[in-house]
Amino acid sequence: MYFLILLAFFASPALAWLPLEDWGSGNVTGSVGESGQCICQVFLPDTTFPADRVESLQISSNKLTVDVELHISKLISFKGKVEILLQELSNLTIRLEVVESGPDKYIKLDFELLRIELREFEALVTELKTSLNSSSPAFDSLYNEIRNMSMIVDQLESYDRSNLEVIRIEFTKLQKKLEKCRDEQDDFSNVQIGSCQHKGILRVGKPVVSQLNANLGTGYIYGGWGKDSHPLPGTENRYWYSAATTTVVRYMSVYSDYYKLIMRQAMKTYDLLSPKNWQGTGNNYIIRANTFYYQYASPFSMAKFNITSQTAEYRAVSGASSRFSYHYHANQNLDFAADESGLWVTYATEASKGKLVLGKIDEAAFALSEVWETSIFKQSVTNAFMICGVLYATRSVDTKTEEIFYAYDTQTRQENYVSLPFEKFQDSYVSLDYNPTDQKLYMYNNGYYVSYNVKFKTA
Ligand SMILES: *[C@@H]1O[C@H](CO)[C@@H](O)[C@H](O)[C@H]1NC(C)=O
Ligand SMILES: *[C@@H]1O[C@H](CO)[C@@H](O)[C@H](O)[C@H]1NC(C)=O
Ligand SMILES: *[C@@H]1O[C@H](CO)[C@@H](O)[C@H](O)[C@H]1NC(C)=O
Ligand SMILES: *[C@@H]1O[C@H](CO)[C@@H](O)[C@H](O)[C@H]1NC(C)=O
Ligand SMILES: *[C@@H]1O[C@H](CO)[C@@H](O)[C@H](O)[C@H]1NC(C)=O
């Protein structure tokens, strides 16, 4: 959505940047957040969904559908524009080469055309720069280079060969950079899905704020959302969501795809209190192989609710203490995670004096097969997740910034302090997890669905 919005700006340069175009009259509003994210909020006067208001909700929903489609079409149109831009640049380079090969033949007109086209190109990049809100260093330097090139053209009084050579070299460099920018926009991930042929996280992308939770309540700050990390065949597009106004874990909804999630049209909502009391707590659950893994409320243990069979069972985690939670909220004692290599749980023990312990879960046996002790104090950590057998832990930097500050490699048993800052949409959050099926991080940020792309170190 982040890119959708800035691209929409690009497609309609005449539009004002803030606020964004109407997301429907009435109580469906859209706006652009401080960091340029797209925020869509739907406010209903009453969250108990009285029957007489369902109709108006449906009208709002339809309006949203149309708007989402509109934005998707704008994204496609932006992609087309970048393609054309590259083609134009490539044409310019060719023309320069022609001019260069015959220094005696070229005429002043060619140079004038080049000057005009450079100006146009500069305007386009200025526009892109504005829509990116100066937040991309790549575009900043691109912008500077184009300005420099324009200046060079201006300064050219005698059209000699060496000047043209300079321009040609600059153009070629520019073209490469623009291509790089495009690649970053098209697909942030630089490693094949499922592959661990990388050296860990290079950086975390901008927060992509999908929207406010399906309960439409800003009080629903305890929750999570995401996709099954190892979906059963045919369920690859599904999303899940669960939240509450307390740390209790009771309802969990499944959506057939992203669109249904955004439209808040659940396929099914499961109730862990009825017919049997299988309630959980702590909100650091995940879904894997159509099974919901969560912290059981009582007795304190890890639990799994098999969505296929709709039955739950729980198992004590040896040594795990219910005394140590993450920094932001209480009850977050067991945190489930999944990566390319399977299912994991983190917790702290009295023996470890509250330091984070990582356990690998044997899914078939539903038991811990191996544990690793880290040297970080759980209460100073805001959350943790796994990628390719490496545990990453986060901490708070300030109200807008979070940082991955620690990595523990289970293969080498080596730990490292790192600094990989990333933007938060809201102050605090309860869940952050990586999903190996799309290499994204999913955060439930004070009631908002937020995701991040991850770029890996490849050399
Ligand atoms: C928005 O909601 C308020 C109640 O909160 C209501 O009075 C108003 O009519 C609604 N506006 C529209 C355009 O539906
Ligand atoms: C984006 O632009 C707005 C308005 O000019 C500004 O307040 C905000 O700080 C900018 N954000 C970034 C990340 O540059
Ligand atoms: C680039 O040059 C080719 C061949 O002259 C032309 O067909 C094409 O339309 C040009 N593209 C742009 C975007 O100017
Ligand atoms: C632009 O030109 C200035 C002055 O010649 C130079 O200092 C700067 O490095 C150039 N910037 C780029 C991006 O080429
Ligand atoms: C869930 O239940 C189904 C049907 O009984 C079974 O085939 C599957 O193995 C179970 N999954 C887990 C993870 O226990």
Side-chain angles (χ1 to χ4, degrees):
M1 270 309 195
Y2 174 75
F3 274 123
L4 268 178
I5 294 320
L6 67 90
L7 307 184
F9 174 82
F10 180 79
S12 334
L15 287 173
W17 175 227
L18 281 169
L20 190 73
E21 359 169 16
D22 220 352
W23 272 68
S25 54
N27 289 319
V28 185
T29 57
S31 61
V32 174
E34 277 184 51
S35 321
Q37 327 90 321
C38 166
I39 307 155
C40 176
Q41 290 178 292
V42 178
F43 292 108
L44 289 179
D46 190 346
T47 52
T48 57
F49 289 87
D52 60 341
R53 291 185 190 149
V54 167
E55 197 191 353
S56 93
L57 172 64
Q58 247 156 9
I59 291 165
S60 297
S61 293
N62 288 341
K63 178 74 180 140
L64 260 176
T65 316
V66 172
D67 280 318
V68 166
E69 276 162 5
L70 192 72
H71 283 281
I72 285 170
S73 73
K74 280 181 179 173
L75 174 63
I76 291 163
S77 126
F78 175 82
K79 275 193 180 177
K81 286 200 176 178
V82 170
E83 296 290 351
I84 291 168
L85 206 61
L86 279 172
Q87 220 187 70
E88 275 173 8
L89 197 54
S90 164
N91 278 5
L92 274 174
T93 311
I94 291 166
R95 273 180 36 207
L96 269 172
E97 268 163 0
V98 170
V99 169
E100 190 206 1
S101 69
D104 299 325
K105 278 178 264 162
Y106 84 84
I107 47 167
K108 192 173 169 151
L109 181 64
D110 264 350
F111 219 83
E112 279 308 315
L113 277 174
L114 180 62
R115 192 202 299 269
I116 289 163
E117 291 189 36
L118 254 176
R119 287 276 178 276
E120 278 171 8
F121 196 64
E122 189 184 348
L124 274 169
V125 176
T126 307
E127 204 170 283
L128 271 174
K129 186 172 138 64
T130 314
S131 67
L132 274 168
N133 210 3
S134 306
S135 54
S136 162
F139 257 104
D140 280 352
S141 88
L142 189 64
Y143 177 73
N144 284 335
E145 283 189 37
I146 287 163
R147 286 204 63 115
N148 276 6
M149 279 183 63
S150 299
M151 266 151 58
I152 292 171
V153 172
D154 282 343
Q155 285 160 7
L156 281 177
E157 294 302 334
S158 60
Y159 308 140
D160 68 18
R161 200 185 156 92
S162 61
N163 278 331
L164 283 167
E165 177 66 17
V166 168
I167 293 179
R168 197 185 61 80
I169 290 166
E170 292 303 313
F171 251 127
T172 311
K173 279 200 232 157
L174 207 64
Q175 192 167 10
K176 287 214 174 79
K177 285 190 180 152
L178 192 61
E179 265 158 2
K180 201 171 145 239
C181 276
R182 183 192 55 172
D183 290 346
E184 277 182 16
Q185 289 184 10
D186 277 355
D187 186 3
F188 205 87
S189 177
N190 56 346
V191 169
Q192 210 186 340
I193 302 280
S195 164
C196 285
Q197 296 298 306
H198 59 74
K199 300 188 171 69
I201 301 177
L202 174 68
R203 64 172 182 267
V204 174
K206 292 262 172 196
V208 179
V209 183
S210 293
Q211 67 165 327
L212 183 62
N213 64 76
N215 288 94
L216 299 169
T218 46
Y220 285 75
I221 62 168
Y222 300 97
W225 77 294
K227 300 179 82 171
D228 191 322
S229 65
H230 189 60
L232 302 181
T235 69
E236 292 84 355
N237 294 331
R238 282 189 192 168
Y239 281 78
W240 60 266
Y241 156 72
S242 172
T245 53
T246 68
T247 60
V248 166
V249 179
R250 176 173 174 186
Y251 298 106
M252 189 270 296
S253 298
V254 175
Y255 302 83
S256 55
D257 53 32
Y258 183 74
Y259 182 78
K260 294 285 185 193
L261 171 86
I262 296 303
M263 300 308 287
R264 307 184 181 94
Q265 293 165 351
M267 261 170 73
K268 191 161 167 112
T269 295
Y270 300 91
D271 183 355
L272 295 175
L273 183 59
S274 162
K276 293 208 172 123
N277 186 353
W278 287 321
Q279 281 189 110
T281 183
N283 317 94
N284 273 287
Y285 31 71
I286 56 163
I287 289 184
R288 185 168 177 84
N290 213 32
T291 301
F292 184 67
Y293 291 90
Y294 63 106
Q295 178 181 329
Y296 209 58
S298 178
F300 172 63
S301 51
M302 64 176 184
K304 65 170 182 180
F305 172 73
N306 186 328
I307 299 169
T308 311
S309 63
Q310 292 186 38
T311 54
E313 55 181 293
Y314 61 87
R315 212 53 77 78
V317 178
S318 175
S321 165
S322 60
R323 201 156 74 86
F324 307 101
S325 185
Y326 282 140
H327 178 74
Y328 290 130
H329 296 284
N331 288 28
Q332 302 182 25
N333 311 115
L334 301 179
D335 179 4
F336 294 87
D339 68 359
E340 288 77 2
S341 57
L343 182 65
W344 307 81
V345 62
T346 55
Y347 51 94
T349 64
E350 291 295 341
S352 75
K353 302 194 201 71
K355 293 201 172 140
L356 203 69
V357 174
L358 168 67
K360 181 82 197 278
I361 299 175
D362 175 334
E363 285 170 68
F366 192 38
L368 264 54
S369 55
E370 196 173 351
V371 297
W372 293 262
E373 287 197 12
T374 75
S375 63
I376 48 170
F377 184 46
K378 172 142 182 174
Q379 286 175 347
S380 68
V381 171
T382 50
N383 222 289
F385 58 88
M386 298 292 300
I387 302 182
C388 288
V390 176
L391 169 86
Y392 292 93
T394 58
R395 69 180 170 199
S396 180
V397 175
D398 57 41
T399 57
K400 291 282 167 206
T401 319
E402 198 71 12
E403 179 188 46
I404 297 170
F405 75 100
Y406 177 86
Y408 183 98
D409 189 334
T410 55
Q411 296 259 305
T412 60
R413 293 182 178 268
Q414 282 201 333
E415 52 185 1
N416 274 307
Y417 284 86
V418 297
S419 179
L420 298 162
F422 59 98
E423 266 178 59
K424 271 183 292 197
F425 174 60
Q426 303 253 309
D427 260 26
S428 75
Y429 60 92
V430 290
S431 86
L432 178 66
D433 265 306
Y434 170 76
N435 192 312
T437 69
D438 56 12
Q439 298 176 329
K440 284 183 201 295
L441 292 177
Y442 287 84
M443 178 191 273
Y444 189 69
N445 194 185
N446 255 2
Y448 288 85
Y449 304 150
V450 178
S451 62
Y452 299 87
N453 286 309
V454 177
K455 196 130 186 157
F456 297 104
K457 281 184 264 185
T458 51

